[in-house]
Amino acid sequence: MKRVISMVLVFAMVMMMSLTVVGCAKEETNETTNSEVAVGETSATAVTTESKTNFPERPINNIVPFGAGGGTDSWNRALSAAMEAPLGVKILVNNMTGGGPGGTGQAYVWEAKHDGYTMLGTSETPLLVPVMTGMKQTTDDFVYYIAGGSPGLLLANKNAGITSMADLMDMAKTKPNEIKVASTAGGLWFILANLFNSYGDVPLGNVTYDGSRPAITACVSGETALVVASAGEVADFIKSGDLIPLTTIQTTDYDMTGHGIIPSVITSIPSLEKYLPLNQWIGFMLPADTDAAIIAKFEEAFKVAMASQEIQDFATSQYAVIYNLTGEEASAVAAKAQSTMSWILNDMGLTEYSPEEFNIPRP
Amino acid sequence: MENLASFISAFIDLLSINVILLMLGSTALGVIIGALPGLTATMGIALLTGLTYNVPLEYTFTILMGVYVGGIYGGSISAILLNIPGTASAAATALDGHQLALQGKAETAIKVTRLASIIGTLIGVLALALLAPPLTKIALQFQSTEFFVLALFGVLICGSIAAEDLSIKGWIGGLIGLSIAFVKIDNIEGVARFTFGNPNLLSGISVIPAMIGFYAIPEVIKAFSNDDPLEVTEAKDISTEKVNVLMTVIKKFRVIVQSALIGLGLGALPGVGEDVAAWVSYDTAKKTSKEKEKYGKGSYEGAIAPEVGNNAAIGGATIPLLTLGVPGSPPAAVLLGALTLHGIRPGPMINIESPGFISQIAALILLAVVALWVVGVILAKPMTKILKVPKVYLMPIVAALSVIGSFAIGLSMFDLTMVFIFGVLGFFLSKMAYSPAPIVLGLILGGMIDETFRRSLIAHNGSFSSFFTRPIALIFLILIVLTIAKQIFDNRKQVKSKV
Amino acid sequence: MEKKAMRRADLITSVVLLIYSIGMFVMSVNLVLKTLSKGRMWYQSAGLFPTIVATFTFLCAISLMRTAFKDGADFSFLTMDNAKKLIKSKEFKVSFIIIGLLAMYIFILLPITWLRYEFSTFIFLFTFMIIFNKKDIKSIIKTIVICIIATGMLTYGFGQLAMIPLP
C-alpha cells in the first residue's frame, strides 16, 4: 500500500509541475470548457441535433499534413489563431504527417465527418496525392481557401561565377548537365527545378534533397551551383550575399523588399510561359460536400483573418504574396495547378498512378 | 570576446523569479517526458510549441529549452532503471546503465549520468555562446560526401555493440535496421521503394514507434515471462561500495572531453542528432578505453560517455539551427518551427535581425543546466522508487504509455501497427540474443547512408574522386579503414589465443 | 537460452534471413534495372544500397548457419513433440497472452471509434493486470483503483494537457 501511495504522490507532483507550466502557456488562450476534442468520436445524433446555423459550437481541428515548423504549419497556425475570434471557438492545429505528399492527413480529414469540425491545412503539395498515393479525391472534392505563398526563385551560389540568367544559359550550353540545381525530391520545387532542362532547353542537372532547407544548405555549402526555393526561405541568404537570385519562376517580375527587382523567367526563357503559374500557395481546405452555410461561415472568418494586421505582418515576415482566394477562384487555381503538376511529373515517369485514372485533364 | 560579454549579460537579464520558476518547472517536465517510455524530448517540444503559440517570446523559449535539456537527460533514467530508453539518445546509456542497475548501483548510476549530462550541456552551451560562427563554417564544409563517410562510420558501430553472443548478430541487427529504413519514397529518384502499394509506408517508418516497439514491448513481455522475480527491486544501492560520484566522474576527464567534442561536433551537423552523438561517443570511448572489457557489463565510463555526448549535442544542434536555419537534430527541428512562429528568422542574418538572440538562447540553456541539477536531485529518489512498483502494475502501464506515446507523435494508427509488429519481432530477436540497439541505429542511419552516397555521385557526375580529395571525408575514410583493420587484427588475436 | 537451444534458433533465423535477403535482392535489382531502363545512371537508383544490404545480409545468414551447424545444431529438432513442448512452456504462454492483449488493444479496442480512449485503455490495463496478479479480493480492488488512476492520468495528460485527439 505504501508503494502505491508513494507512486501516487510522485504522479501528483508531476501533475502539479506540468500544470504550472502548461497553465502559464494557456493563460493567453481561452480554456475550453468542452472536453469533446476527440475527433474520432461520431454519434448519429450529433448530426441531427446540431443546428447548422449555430456552427461552430465546439473547437475545430485543423489537421496539417506536414511537420511542425514548416511553411504549411506556420501559416495554418497563424491563420487558425486569427480565425478564432470571428468563429468564436478554438481551432486546434495538429500535425499528421505521412503518406507521401500529405496523404495520411488528407485521408483522415476525408474520412472524418464532413461537418466542418475537421479542416485540412494544405499547400500545393497535396495536389499530388492522387498520382502518388492513389487516393481518389481530387480538387473537385474540396473547397479551397488560399491565403498566400512565397514566389519561387532560382538562385546561384556566390562562388559559382553566375550572376544572371544569360551567364547561366551560356555556361549550361558548354557544360550540359554538369551544373546542378538543388531542390526537394518531389513536389513544386522539384518540378520547377526540372522545368529548365525538360521544357526550357537549358541543360541543368538536378540533385534532390530531403526538404527545402537541406537543399538550400547544400547550395550554400557549394555542393550544387544552383537552388530552387521560395523567397521566404532564402531571404536571409540573399541578404548575406551567400546566394544570388537569378530569376523568379512566375510570369511577373518580383520586387523583393530589401533586394530589388528579380526578373521573371519568361524574359529569358519565353517557352516556359505556358506551364505557369506554378506558385507556392498555402491555406486550408474542406470537403466540398460540407454544408454550404458552414463553407460560407469559414469564408467570412477567412476574410476577417486575411485582413487582420497579424496576418499581414506574418506574410511580410515570410516574404509571401497574399492571394486571399476562396470559392470558384480558389478551386480554379487548385485545379489548374493539380493538372499541370500531375502531368509534368507523369511525363517524367515519376508518378505511381496516371492522372488519367482520376480524370485530371492535361494542362 | 564580445560574445562572452553578451552571453554573461544575457544570463544576468534572465534572472527573474518568473523565468527561474518556469525553467525549473519545464526542466522537470522535460525530465519526466524524457523518462517516460513512449514520450520523447522531440514530442514534448512539439506539443509545447503549439501550446505556447500565444505566449510571449522569453517565456516560450524558457519553457522549450527547459524541456529540451530535461528531456535529453530524462531518457537515461528509464534506460537505466527499465532498460527502455525514454528517448533515442539514451539507447547507448541503456547498455551499461541498466547493467549497473542490475548490480544494485542504480542510484549511483543515475547520479553519475546526471553529472555527465550537466557537464555535457555546459560544454555545448559554451560552444554555442562563443564559437557559433567558426563552427558554422565547419558545418558548411560538410557536403554529401562527408555525410556518407560519417554515416558509414556510424554503421560500423553496429558490429561492435556488445552482444552477448556472436558479434555477427550485431551486424545482422544493423542490416535489418538499414533495410527497414529503405522502405519509403526514395528521396532521389522519387519512386516508391518496398512499399507494396501501401500509402502509409510512403513516408517511411518512423524511428520512434520502431524504437518503442523494439525496446519497450520486449521488456514488458520479458518482465512476465522470466522466472526470476523483479530484477531491480531496490533502486537504493545494495552494493556496499561507497562510490563517490564526483570523483568517479572527474577521473574520467579524458572520456568526458572526448565525448563532449564528439557530441558537439555531431550535433552541429545538420541531420545528425543527439542519438547518433550518443552512439559515437560510446563507441569511441570504448575503443580508446583502458578497460574495454568492462563495457556492456556495467562500466561507469560506458554510461558517462553517451550522456555527455548527447547533452553536448544540444548545444551543438542549436548552432546550425540559429546560424543557418538548418536544425542539427530532431528536437532542434521542432524548435525551428517555434522560432518561425514567434517571428525569429534563424539564418545568417540572425545577428542583424535579432541581435543578441544567440546569447539569449545560450543563457537559457545555461539556466536549464542549473535547473537540471536542482530538478535531478529532487527527482532522483522518487524516480528510482518507480522500480518498487510491482511489475504487474508497472509494466501494463508502460505498455499503455508506449501506445499512446507513439500515437501522439503522428496521430497515426499505422504507427501503432508498427509498434506492434516491431514489438513482436523485437521480442523474438531479443530472446535470440539480438540487441535492439544496432537495429535502431541502422534505422536511424539507413536513409542518410543511402542518400548521401548517391547524392555525392550525382553531384560529382559519377566520380568517386570526391571521397578521396575532400580532406574531411578522407580523414574519416582512413579512420574507417583503421577501425576495420584493428577489428580483424583483434579477432585474429582472439582466435590464436583460443587455440 | 542455453547454447544448444540458441544454435537451433539461429539455424531457423538463418534460414529466414536467407529467404529475406534473397527476396530483397531480387526487388532491389529490379529497381536498379528500372532505373537503367529509364536512361539514368546506376548510382542514381533507389535499388543500389538495398542490393548491397541484401548481399551482406545473405553473407551473414550463411555465416550464422555455418556457426550453428558447427556447434551441433541440425534440423532434426523440428518435431511435433518439440513443438508441443514449446507451446506448453510458461514462456510461450505468457508471451502469447501479452502479444494477444496488445493486439486486442491496438487492433480492436482503439479503432472502435465509439469506444472512447478511456474505456479502451481501462479494459486493456485491467485485463492485463488481472491475468498476472494474485487473484484475491484485495488485489482485485487495488488493481481497479490503479487502473482508474492510470487511465485517468493518461487521458488527462494527452487529451487535455497536450490536446491531442485521442484514438
Side-chain angles (χ1 to χ4, degrees):
Chain A
M1 223 37 219
K2 239 174 71 170
R3 302 174 186 173
V4 177
I5 293 184
S6 66
M7 183 179 88
V8 171
L9 280 176
V10 170
F11 275 117
M13 201 168 57
V14 169
M15 279 298 116
M16 301 287 356
M17 281 187 280
S18 349
L19 279 175
T20 45
V21 173
V22 178
C24 278
K26 275 192 182 170
E27 74 191 10
E28 307 262 333
T29 59
N30 301 324
E31 280 281 17
T32 164
T33 49
N34 197 327
S35 64
E36 312 265 298
V37 172
V39 180
E41 71 172 48
T42 52
S43 57
T45 49
V47 177
T48 48
T49 56
E50 259 179 332
S51 165
K52 290 159 195 165
T53 51
N54 284 344
F55 177 88
E57 293 176 333
R58 50 184 166 86
I60 299 173
N61 261 304
N62 184 347
I63 305 289
V64 172
F66 304 110
T72 313
D73 180 72
S74 313
W75 264 103
N76 271 279
R77 288 185 191 270
L79 280 173
S80 302
M83 291 198 306
E84 280 182 0
L87 283 175
V89 294
K90 276 174 61 80
I91 305 184
L92 305 162
V93 179
N94 276 303
N95 303 82
M96 209 183 237
T97 56
T104 307
Q106 186 172 308
Y108 180 86
V109 172
W110 186 257
E111 280 157 30
K113 282 166 58 149
H114 297 181
D115 57 5
Y117 285 102
T118 315
M119 55 195 271
L120 182 65
T122 190
S123 66
E124 79 294 339
T125 310
L127 294 175
L128 291 174
V129 165
V131 293
M132 295 307 286
T133 68
M135 284 189 222
K136 302 224 182 323
Q137 292 76 36
T138 66
T139 53
D140 292 335
D141 300 295
F142 291 100
V143 291
Y144 292 86
Y145 301 77
I146 299 181
S150 192
L153 301 176
L154 174 69
L155 309 112
N157 174 294
K158 68 180 176 208
N159 296 322
I162 306 173
T163 48
S164 69
M165 280 306 283
D167 283 347
L168 177 62
M169 289 162 73
D170 287 337
M171 225 191 252
K173 287 212 181 64
T174 57
K175 302 198 270 188
N177 287 322
E178 274 184 40
I179 309 181
K180 310 281 184 191
V181 183
S183 74
T184 54
L188 181 66
W189 307 125
F190 173 74
I191 293 177
L192 292 181
N194 282 290
L195 279 182
F196 295 95
N197 54 3
S198 298
Y199 303 105
D201 217 13
V202 183
L204 300 174
N206 176 230
V207 186
T208 55
Y209 295 81
D210 204 2
S212 261
R213 289 190 187 268
I216 297 172
T217 319
C219 184
V220 171
S221 78
E223 182 160 59
T224 62
L226 308 164
V227 63
V228 169
S230 75
E233 291 166 314
V234 296
D236 293 325
F237 291 103
I238 298 179
K239 277 197 209 159
S240 68
D242 287 305
L243 291 178
I244 304 174
L246 299 176
T247 184
T248 174
I249 311 176
Q250 51 181 31
T251 49
T252 51
D253 294 342
Y254 175 48
D255 187 359
M256 187 164 180
T257 5
H259 182 267
I261 303 208
I262 304 178
S264 151
V265 72
I266 53 181
T267 359
S268 34
I269 315 180
S271 56
L272 289 182
E273 183 166 10
K274 64 174 193 255
Y275 299 98
L276 305 177
L278 270 178
N279 289 337
Q280 177 200 57
W281 49 261
I282 299 178
F284 59 91
M285 60 198 203
L286 291 172
D289 56 4
T290 313
D291 184 76
I294 297 181
I295 293 185
K297 262 268 168 85
F298 268 104
E299 272 195 39
E300 282 170 38
F302 180 67
K303 292 235 176 326
V304 170
M306 292 306 293
S308 72
Q309 192 58 44
E310 286 85 31
I311 295 291
Q312 299 288 330
D313 290 342
F314 182 76
T316 317
S317 73
Q318 301 280 19
Y319 291 86
V321 175
I322 293 206
Y323 297 127
N324 197 356
L325 302 171
T326 57
E328 295 269 333
E329 271 194 287
S331 294
V333 166
K336 174 144 203 264
Q338 182 169 64
S339 127
T340 317
M341 286 168 64
S342 306
W343 279 102
I344 290 185
L345 272 188
N346 190 63
D347 292 340
M348 285 191 209
L350 289 177
T351 53
E352 295 294 304
Y353 300 84
S354 162
E356 284 175 343
E357 297 180 40
F358 311 97
N359 293 324
I360 297 178
R362 268 208 180 259
Chain B
M1 276 304 111
E2 49 154 87
N3 279 341
L4 186 57
S6 144
F7 177 45
I8 296 181
S9 81
F11 186 69
I12 298 181
D13 282 339
L14 279 184
L15 298 175
S16 74
I17 270 292
N18 276 345
V19 172
I20 293 181
L21 282 180
L22 207 51
M23 181 59 88
L24 281 173
S26 43
T27 312
L29 184 59
V31 172
I32 291 165
I33 289 181
L36 292 175
L39 302 180
T40 62
T42 312
M43 204 189 101
I45 301 179
L47 291 173
L48 284 170
T49 300
L51 290 177
T52 55
Y53 183 62
N54 285 320
V55 171
L57 190 64
E58 325 78 66
Y59 293 153
T60 301
F61 283 96
T62 308
I63 297 178
L64 293 179
M65 299 316 286
V67 171
Y68 192 177
V69 173
I72 298 289
Y73 165 63
S76 64
I77 297 186
S78 55
I80 293 174
L81 297 179
L82 299 171
N83 204 25
I84 303 176
T87 55
S89 53
T93 319
L95 285 180
D96 277 277
H98 188 62
Q99 292 300 316
L100 283 169
L102 289 177
Q103 291 165 17
K105 304 182 194 157
E107 199 178 331
T108 315
I110 290 188
K111 288 188 187 158
V112 163
T113 50
R114 182 179 69 222
L115 189 52
S117 298
I118 290 177
I119 298 179
T121 322
L122 269 175
I123 299 185
V125 150
L126 283 175
L128 171 65
L130 305 176
L131 294 176
L135 283 176
T136 310
K137 283 215 179 60
I138 299 182
L140 276 177
Q141 290 299 313
F142 270 72
Q143 296 179 3
S144 297
T145 315
E146 282 80 1
F147 279 112
F148 169 69
V149 189
L150 182 61
L152 189 59
F153 188 66
V155 167
L156 282 185
I157 295 179
C158 294
S160 61
I161 292 176
E164 306 130 36
D165 195 25
L166 312 165
S167 66
I168 204 172
K169 291 188 174 176
W171 290 111
I172 294 182
L175 288 169
I176 294 180
L178 286 177
S179 51
I180 298 177
F182 291 145
V183 178
K184 61 193 287 218
I185 287 192
D186 177 45
N187 269 332
I188 298 200
E189 265 205 300
V191 296
R193 180 171 54 184
F194 303 150
T195 60
F196 304 109
N198 185 341
N200 285 311
L201 289 174
L202 285 178
S203 304
I205 297 190
S206 346
V207 176
I208 304 293
M211 189 182 85
I212 293 175
F214 276 119
Y215 275 102
I217 307 292
E219 284 301 315
V220 170
I221 302 180
K222 276 199 284 192
F224 293 101
S225 60
N226 276 347
D227 280 326
D228 0 311
L230 186 69
E231 295 134 5
V232 194
T233 49
E234 181 80 43
K236 213 161 153 40
D237 288 351
I238 291 180
S239 90
T240 47
E241 293 178 54
K242 218 27 182 112
V243 182
N244 184 322
V245 173
L246 194 59
M247 283 319 293
T248 314
V249 172
I250 292 196
K251 271 199 286 189
K252 307 292 178 197
F253 186 68
R254 179 188 58 85
V255 170
I256 292 179
V257 171
Q258 172 185 310
S259 306
L261 290 177
I262 293 176
L264 184 57
L266 290 183
L269 294 178
V272 184
E274 292 86 4
D275 37 15
V276 179
W279 276 116
V280 179
S281 302
Y282 177 80
D283 188 66
T284 315
K286 181 169 168 202
K287 291 210 172 82
T288 55
S289 163
K290 301 205 175 41
E291 11 173 280
K292 290 195 193 43
E293 339 64 56
K294 284 215 206 146
Y295 277 72
K297 301 193 177 62
S299 131
Y300 283 110
E301 263 184 40
I304 293 176
E307 282 302 308
V308 171
N310 65 21
N311 277 74
I314 296 180
T318 316
I319 295 180
L321 169 67
L322 295 176
T323 57
L324 287 178
V326 179
S329 68
V334 187
L335 277 179
L336 180 60
L339 288 170
T340 319
L341 285 178
H342 287 266
I344 308 277
R345 297 186 57 88
M349 305 302 287
I350 194 172
N351 277 324
I352 301 188
E353 294 186 5
S354 314
F357 190 72
I358 297 185
S359 299
Q360 277 182 314
I361 293 284
L364 279 173
I365 301 182
L366 183 59
L367 191 59
V369 165
V370 176
L372 183 62
W373 183 67
V374 172
V375 163
V377 168
I378 298 180
L379 282 184
K381 276 256 166 37
M383 297 234 82
T384 53
K385 287 241 180 337
I386 300 249
L387 283 183
K388 281 185 155 185
V389 176
K391 63 181 173 174
V392 68
Y393 299 125
L394 181 62
M395 284 310 181
I397 296 183
V398 167
L401 190 55
S402 307
V403 167
I404 186 65
S406 336
F407 181 76
I409 296 179
L411 296 182
S412 152
M413 286 304 296
F414 184 72
D415 280 346
L416 292 184
T417 316
M418 284 292 112
V419 170
F420 181 74
I421 295 180
F422 289 129
V424 176
L425 185 61
F427 171 63
F428 285 117
L429 286 176
S430 77
K431 282 243 70 95
M432 294 190 285
Y434 287 89
S435 158
I439 305 180
V440 176
L441 189 56
L443 180 57
I444 294 175
L445 289 175
M448 187 157 93
I449 205 175
D450 167 40
E451 288 169 20
T452 51
F453 182 66
R454 290 148 64 200
R455 208 175 277 140
S456 170
L457 287 177
I458 295 177
H460 292 99
N461 289 310
S463 148
F464 282 91
S465 66
S466 66
F467 293 103
F468 303 107
T469 50
R470 295 181 62 86
I472 302 182
L474 193 56
I475 295 177
F476 271 107
L477 262 183
I478 296 181
L479 274 176
I480 291 178
V481 170
L482 284 178
T483 311
I484 299 183
K486 188 158 187 297
Q487 267 200 331
I488 299 182
F489 189 63
D490 279 344
N491 273 348
R492 286 255 191 87
K493 248 186 18 190
Q494 258 188 359
V495 169
K496 278 219 186 104
S497 66
K498 271 196 199 152
V499 169
Chain C
M1 254 202 230
E2 10 92 30
K3 197 151 178 227
K4 217 159 151 237
M6 179 84 80
R7 291 289 164 260
R8 290 186 190 154
D10 284 348
L11 201 51
I12 303 191
T13 321
S14 60
V15 171
V16 171
L17 279 176
L18 275 177
I19 303 178
Y20 177 73
S21 58
I22 294 179
M24 187 158 72
F25 187 81
V26 168
M27 285 199 287
S28 318
V29 172
N30 257 337
L31 282 172
V32 179
L33 291 178
K34 253 206 278 184
T35 309
L36 291 175
S37 75
K38 288 192 196 153
R40 294 204 277 256
M41 307 299 297
W42 60 272
Y43 51 76
Q44 281 184 298
S45 176
L48 175 62
F49 248 88
T51 316
I52 299 179
V53 169
T55 319
F56 274 112
T57 313
F58 185 79
L59 293 173
C60 283
I62 301 270
S63 165
L64 189 64
M65 200 179 244
R66 263 190 48 204
T67 318
F69 277 137
K70 255 203 319 198
D71 282 346
D74 55 30
F75 286 106
S76 62
F77 69 95
L78 288 172
T79 60
M80 270 318 278
D81 274 342
N82 277 334
K84 285 206 191 120
K85 261 203 285 179
L86 175 68
I87 296 186
K88 288 210 172 67
S89 74
K90 174 174 180 239
E91 241 190 304
F92 186 82
K93 281 198 210 151
V94 167
S95 0
F96 190 72
I97 292 177
I98 299 186
I99 293 179
L101 279 170
L102 272 172
M104 172 187 82
Y105 188 36
I106 293 180
F107 297 113
I108 304 181
L109 288 177
L110 287 179
I112 300 181
T113 40
W114 53 260
L115 187 63
R116 292 180 50 138
Y117 174 74
E118 298 86 307
F119 298 117
S120 305
T121 310
F122 182 81
I123 295 177
F124 171 69
L125 283 176
F126 188 67
T127 327
F128 200 156
M129 293 185 192
I130 279 293
I131 293 182
F132 290 102
N133 205 355
K134 305 195 273 287
K135 311 270 196 288
D136 59 321
I137 255 300
K138 201 161 152 243
S139 303
I140 295 186
I141 296 189
K142 246 205 299 190
T143 310
I144 296 184
V145 170
I146 293 183
C147 284
I148 295 184
I149 298 180
T151 309
M153 287 196 295
L154 285 174
T155 314
Y156 181 71
F158 285 91
Q160 289 296 341
L161 287 182
M163 293 201 276
I164 294 178
L166 296 169

